[in-house]
Amino acid sequence: MLKSKKVLVTAGPTREYLDDIRFIGNKSSGRQGAEIARCLLELDADVTLIIGPVNLELSSLGKVIQVETAIEMDYAVNEAGPFDIAICAAAVGDWRPKEKAKTKIKKTSKGKPPVLELVENPDILKNLCISENRPKLVIGFAAETDNLLANARSKLKNKGCDWIVANNVSAMSQNMGGEENEVIIVKRDQEIKLERQSKEAIAKLICKKIVDEISA
Ligand code: C5P
């Protein structure tokens, strides 16, 4: 149903290194993105999955490019494109340490912790939306702990994407890193709530909406 459509899926966390062994990361398991990639493959799409460090079996998920940092993910997206459809499900680190220390950062004798200066990472989703070869359909994710809908709506506008899949990632929800998810697909003129269910089932529903949109 998506035959000959080139589809990008980004998934998983990124690691933003302080030195060779320490990084800033997040709890993303990559599962929701991986399930979306699997489902798109079943729909005959030409899928490129660009994924951060995860503990998942990736061998049956199409063209898989494994990366660690946001900078690497951004580079890989640009190299692998252009795409007809992009689904940015990765939990990309918003910031990285301004400098990565060349050797392991040591404790000082005065016991003063180091001060971390952070710089902003490239916004892969936003850059895709303003690129010359913008995919026909660009879908972002919004992982929020509060004001879910309001934040999703402002993300839809700020990023310039077509849909935002909003999910609650508060510690209580256990959605981030967990087996299940509950999301709201936020479009410019419509909101579609997908009740709590497995990430596989959520992926199938999202992909069905994608097929409907592309064939409309
Ligand atoms: O701004 P925020 O991180 O909340 O945005 C989330 C959405 O933007 C997700 O779709 C994520 O994959 C994407 N994103 C990105 N590059 C970044 C930050 C977020 O592609 N540097």
Side-chain angles (χ1 to χ4, degrees), residues 43-59:
L43 294 166
D44 272 343
D46 174 4
V47 181
T48 302
L49 172 64
I50 302 183
I51 189 162
V54 291
N55 220 341
L56 296 174
E57 177 53 55
L58 300 173
S59 58

